């Protein structure tokens, strides 16, 4: 990577794309409770995965591969949730193949995250660690890669979460570069965790990122690579790292092909690859080459969602909190059963999207919530989710009963065995016998 | 005794309510030898009305005033009782009454095949006016989706009118036109009012040349909720005038506010006495803030009526205090319930103790009191489960309140229930609670009793006046309600006594008694 000219003024650009598809719940009526335990058996999941693969993942990956072959200095990263990988494997395995091809170019890095794109980082206990390690194993299994930089669900982050991430062996993590954690400091630097100084913090430039993701066609005007590069060039000369991050679905799904989004992506990546001032860099390389500007303290939990940039997109209202508390409570019971299938179900229910659908926020944020939601209203999302929770609770209860019966049987067997056994050691029996004589 | 009766819903698609009451009452009246012509704005197609003749308002020709320059030959039209006119030539070009016909035609049809059999019985005439309107508050939010779907289940049967049209040889050549207009009708249904123009050039049927009009129109009632409701009541009145003219009757009997203009119009036409039957008032539905236009329509009907029937003393008191109607003019006639054996258990019980709310989630039904009482019950009996069956504008508020109190693990929301789903819910319920703020009658507790479930009702309900073996509390008294629920759950003997006695009691709450009372009323008023 040192082959390219590296003037002292060069600014590194880290670009990552997020990919996620939840296991959506099927419509689950009150009368389904106790009689039908297929929560995720809906054609929606397959249809959506196949559609987005066709419109976005496959054409975008093909474009990326072509460009990387032309410009080997082009570097990008992907953050792909484990549930998305599982659905690709099942519904459209060619997507996995196309990512594996990208992985072998050496220009593409894959980030760690929670396996189920879940709210595990706010669940008490070790759920977070378990899901992160599972996700790491999944990346190895599907793509043959090992992540060293982390991106939590929806950029949920705090000092405490950073500590856990560091403990899992990651040396970098992404945050949203919001004002109330940075104060007057620049988001165009790398920082480190206040205590775990080995953990580098990347701060997403949400203005530049959202210019592409949300404002590609605003007010009838389209963004061009030139316009974007002009905005990018306005970053101060001493800027060390510019972090751009967005949904990969922006390309071909949120913005359809007809909008010219792929032309834009091609132009943008070409401009970045051939720019004198800006150099694309993989996150793991940035961690080792860019000196941190100092510690960054994040005492309260932040995220990249909504205007509030906190947890309110998922746990803001009573319905979300009640549903979440019910699920967390159920979690301890599920784990005690040591049943992989039940644990998988429980984790799918912990995926952040289900809670996102229950948001009752109004205005712009509400529209974004509604765009992603398969439900007519947050109330229906909640009722459907709770119907599933009710059924799942019944399922767990039945399994617990089976287990306690099995345990009882085992215990009584043991007791019986003990009762029949002579517990006196042989030497003592001998001794006893000698006394009698 | 011949009665011209106007309702809004005849087949009870929604459990309880106006349709159920109208069906129960008219069937018993017919058995009592009363001749009933029952008019509904729109028929669903599954009305079973033995001994009744039903007439659809959508098929009633209405005189339309036309500019004199467009004089056409006097129309002749089939208007024989028992014959349904079904010519449709829709002109969905707005609300104007001067729709120009492209051709004049009449298609006279015999009664629709599936009506023919029950219709053959003599004593009751049912005038078909397709209906799915109810007197209840319009669910304003999109969450009441099931409710809307329920309406869509009863579309006007276009195919059938076409089939019938083919049966009539004369109409064959107008086939394509009818088809085209039928399509329009379908598109416009529930969206905008459409005028059907029926003119006639055929001379072999009964001539109506005494009418000084040149054109007839029929109104396809949209049967939809929403802003057009007021307009539809006015149109219904137009239709009523025409029906009153063509059906001999001794007394006019109308049910709830949307039919009041129709009743007044019919009375103006025939001069016969008008009985206004109140199943629900605007104060029940909206509390202290009645819809001014609805209130005005109710008061006009009540004042213009020769006599008023209230479904309970509770309602009578509202009519006296809020509408200023003289108590002497009002008779209380409690509703009955049609005996029914409920189907056996089908659903799986969500828990060992299940308490159920079944009704629309509206201010009137008091669902939030149910939630608050549940909160208190759960402190005593943490394993109680609560079903909320129904939809309505309070659905979001009820869900949010449940979540706020962190009761979601004990609550179940079924949405609006149709058909045997109601029986399924009964089959898993241990107790039914109706905490209505103001319930003119309330038939659901009686249905719960039929299903063998003990009930708690609010004192602010008409049904509490006829039930001795139910626990009665003030709707606002959460503590009393919670306490009542706890006692029924705790004492199996109480629960089984209530169950047994109320089931016995309900055998006497039939429609025969109210029908007799109303028949007497007819005789008194026509004397």
């Amino acid at each position: 990577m040192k082959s390219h000219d590296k003037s002292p003024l060069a600014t590194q650009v880290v670009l990552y794309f997020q990919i996620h598809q939840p296991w959506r719940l099927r419509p689950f009526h009150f009368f389904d409770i106790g009689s039908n335990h297929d929560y995720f058996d809906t054609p929606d999941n397959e249809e959506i995965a196949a559609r987005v693969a066709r419109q976005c993942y496959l054409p975008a990956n093909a474009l990326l591969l072509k460009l990387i072959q032309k410009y080997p200095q082009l570097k990008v990263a992907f953050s792909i949730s484990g549930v998305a990988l599982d659905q690709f494997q099942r519904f459209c395995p060619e997507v996995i193949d196309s990512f594996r091809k990208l992985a072998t170019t050496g220009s593409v890095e894959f980030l760690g995250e929670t396996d189920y794109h879940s709210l595990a980082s706010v669940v008490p206990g070790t759920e977070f660690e378990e899901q992160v390690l599972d996700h790491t194993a999944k990346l190895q299994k599907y793509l043959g890669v090992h992540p060293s930089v982390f991106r939590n669900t929806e950029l949920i982050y705090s000092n405490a979460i950073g500590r856990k991430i560091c403990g899992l062996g990651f040396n970098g993590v992404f945050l949203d570069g919001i004002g109330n954690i940075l104060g007057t400091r620049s988001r165009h630097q790398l920082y480190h965790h206040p205590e775990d100084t080995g953990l580098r913090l990347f701060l997403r430039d949400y203005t530049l990122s959202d210019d592409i993701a949300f404002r590609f066609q605003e007010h009838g005007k389209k963004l061009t690579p030139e316009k974007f590069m002009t905005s990018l060039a306005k970053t101060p000369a001493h800027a060390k790292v510019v972090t751009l991050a967005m949904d990969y679905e922006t390309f071909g799904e949120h913005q359809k092909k007809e909008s010219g989004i792929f032309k834009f992506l091609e132009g943008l990546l070409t401009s970045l690859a051939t720019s004198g001032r800006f150099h694309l860099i993989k996150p793991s390389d940035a961690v080792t080459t860019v000196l941190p500007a100092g510690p960054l303290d994040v005492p309260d939990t932040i995220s990249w969602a909504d205007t509030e940039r906190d947890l309110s997109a998922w746990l803001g209202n009573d319905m979300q909190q009640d549903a979440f508390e019910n699920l967390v409570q159920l979690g301890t019971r599920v784990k005690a059963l040591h049943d992989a299938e039940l644990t998988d179900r429980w984790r799918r229910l912990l995926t952040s999207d289900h809670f996102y659908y229950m948001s009752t926020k109004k205005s712009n944020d509400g529209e974004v919530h509604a765009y992603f939601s398969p439900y007519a209203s947050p109330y229906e999302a909640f009722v459907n989710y709770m119907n599933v929770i009710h059924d799942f609770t019944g399922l767990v209860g039945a399994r617990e009963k089976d287990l306690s019966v099995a345990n009882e049987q085992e215990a009584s067997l043991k007791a019986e065995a003990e009762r029949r056994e002579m517990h006196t050691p042989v030497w003592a029996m001998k001794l006893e016998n000698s006394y009698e004589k | 005794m011949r009665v011209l009766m106007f309702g809004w819903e005849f087949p009870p698609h929604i459990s309880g309510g106006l349709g159920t009451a109208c069906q129960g009452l008219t069937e018993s009246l017919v058995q009592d030898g009363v001749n009933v012509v029952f008019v509904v704005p729109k028929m669903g197609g599954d009305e079973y009305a033995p001994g009744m003749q039903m007439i659809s308002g959508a098929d009633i020709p209405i005189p339309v005033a036309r500019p004199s320059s467009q004089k056409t030959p006097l129309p002749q039209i089939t208007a024989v009782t028992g014959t349904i006119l079904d010519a449709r030539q829709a002109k969905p070009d707005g609300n104007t009454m001067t729709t120009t016909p492209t051709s004049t035609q009449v298609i006279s049809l015999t009664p629709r095949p599936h009506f023919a059999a029950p219709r053959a019985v003599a004593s009751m005439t049912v005038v078909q006016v397709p209906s799915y309107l109810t007197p209840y508050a319009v669910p304003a939010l999109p969450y009441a989706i099931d409710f809307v779907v329920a309406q869509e289940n009863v579309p006007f049967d276009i195919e059938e009118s076409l089939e019938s049209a083919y049966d009539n040889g004369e109409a064959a050549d107008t086939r394509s036109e009818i088809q085209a207009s039928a399509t329009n009708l379908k598109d416009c249904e529930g969206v905008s009012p459409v005028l059907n123009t029926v003119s006639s050039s055929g001379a072999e049927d009964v001539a109506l040349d005494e009418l000084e009009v040149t054109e007839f129109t029929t109104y396809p009632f949209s049967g939809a909720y929403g802003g057009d409701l007021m307009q539809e009541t006015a149109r219904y009145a137009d239709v009523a005038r025409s029906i009153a003219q063509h059906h001999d009757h001794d007394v006019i009997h109308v049910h709830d506010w949307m039919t009041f203009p129709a009743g007044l119009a019919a009375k103006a036409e025939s001069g016969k006495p008008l009985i206004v039957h109140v199943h629900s008032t605007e104060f029940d539905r909206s509390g202290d803030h009645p819809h001014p236009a609805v209130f005005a329509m109710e008061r006009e009907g009540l004042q213009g009526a020769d006599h008023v029937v209230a479904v309970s003393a509770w309602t009578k008191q509202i009519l006296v205090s809020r509408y200023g109607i003289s108590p002497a003019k009002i008779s209380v006639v409690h509703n009955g319930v049609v005996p029914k054996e409920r189907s056996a258990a089908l659903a799986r019980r969500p828990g060992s103790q299940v308490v159920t709310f079944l009704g629309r989630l509206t201010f009137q039904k008091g669902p939030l009191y149910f939630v608050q009482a549940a909160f208190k019950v759960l402190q005593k009996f943490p394993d109680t489960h609560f079903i909320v069956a129904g939809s309505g504008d309070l659905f979001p508020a009820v869900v949010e309140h449940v979540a706020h109190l962190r009761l979601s693990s004990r609550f179940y929301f079924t949405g609006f229930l149709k058909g045997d789903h109601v029986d399924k819910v009964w089959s898993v319920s241990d107790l039914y609670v109706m905490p209505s703020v103001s319930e003119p009658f309330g038939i659901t507790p009686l249905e719960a009793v039929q299903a063998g479930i003990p009930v708690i009702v609010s004192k602010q309900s008409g049904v509490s006046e006829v039930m001795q073996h139910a626990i009665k509390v003030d709707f606002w008294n959460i503590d009393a309600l919670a306490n009542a629920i706890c006692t029924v759950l705790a004492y199996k003997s109480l629960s089984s006594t209530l169950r047994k006695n109320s089931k016995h009691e309900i055998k006497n709450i039939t429609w025969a008694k109210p029908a007799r009372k109303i028949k007497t009323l007819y005789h008194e008023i026509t004397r």
Side-chain angles (χ1 to χ4, degrees), chain B residues 358-521:
Chain B
L358 194 150
R360 280 170 297 116
L361 302 182
T362 58
F363 158 81
Q364 186 190 350
K365 302 290 178 183
L368 290 169
Y369 299 105
F370 180 73
V371 175
Q372 283 163 9
F375 179 73
K376 288 183 184 273
V377 171
L378 282 167
Q379 288 168 343
K380 278 259 180 200
F381 296 97
D383 201 32
T384 313
H385 293 246
F386 297 87
I387 296 176
V388 175
S391 62
D393 58 2
L394 278 190
F395 171 58
V398 174
V399 167
E400 277 178 342
H401 200 52
V402 166
H404 177 70
L405 297 172
R406 297 294 188 269
L407 305 180
S408 302
S409 65
R410 292 292 177 271
F411 262 80
Y412 302 82
F413 294 91
T414 71
F416 176 74
L417 295 178
K418 283 174 276 193
D420 70 332
H421 280 182
V422 174
D423 287 341
K424 275 188 173 189
V425 164
W426 290 142
S427 75
V428 297
S429 303
D430 296 296
L431 176 61
Y432 171 68
V433 178
M434 186 185 76
S436 294
V437 171
S438 181
E439 188 70 65
F441 189 76
I443 213 152
T444 324
L446 300 180
E447 293 178 343
V449 166
Q450 285 181 335
I453 297 158
V455 301
I456 298 174
V457 297
S458 72
K459 288 179 185 169
Q460 291 69 29
S461 69
V463 75
S464 69
E465 297 166 19
V466 298
M467 288 182 83
Q468 302 309 313
H469 302 284
I471 297 180
K472 297 165 196 173
V473 295
D474 287 310
F475 72 87
W476 43 263
N477 196 339
I478 307 297
D479 283 330
L481 180 55
N483 186 52
I485 294 172
C486 286
T487 17
V488 175
L489 295 181
Y491 307 120
K492 290 293 158 212
S493 56
L494 173 63
S495 155
S496 65
T497 311
L498 281 174
R499 197 186 303 260
K500 210 173 85 195
N501 289 350
S502 60
K503 208 162 184 178
H504 181 72
E505 174 177 49
I506 204 174
K507 286 183 185 141
N508 293 318
I509 309 177
T510 62
W511 277 107
K513 257 194 259 175
R516 244 190 329 273
K517 271 194 191 173
I518 284 181
K519 192 183 167 189
T520 314
L521 209 57

Side-chain angles (χ1 to χ4, degrees), chain B residues 52-118:
Chain B
M52 255 196 265
Q53 187 193 343
M54 294 192 97
I55 295 178
S56 163
D59 301 323
I60 299 304
I62 303 301
V64 175
R66 295 190 65 197
S68 51
S69 58
Q70 292 185 14
K71 273 267 176 198
T72 48
L74 285 181
Q76 279 121 17
I77 201 152
T78 324
V80 181
T81 302
T83 300
I84 293 167
L85 289 176
D86 222 320
R88 307 196 165 271
Q89 189 189 345
K91 284 267 171 183
D93 55 359
N95 298 332
T96 148
M97 295 287 280
T98 53
T99 307
T100 333
T102 47
S103 67
T104 56
Q105 54 185 288
V106 69
I107 305 150
S108 58
L109 305 170
T110 46
R112 296 176 184 185
H114 69 285
F115 292 142

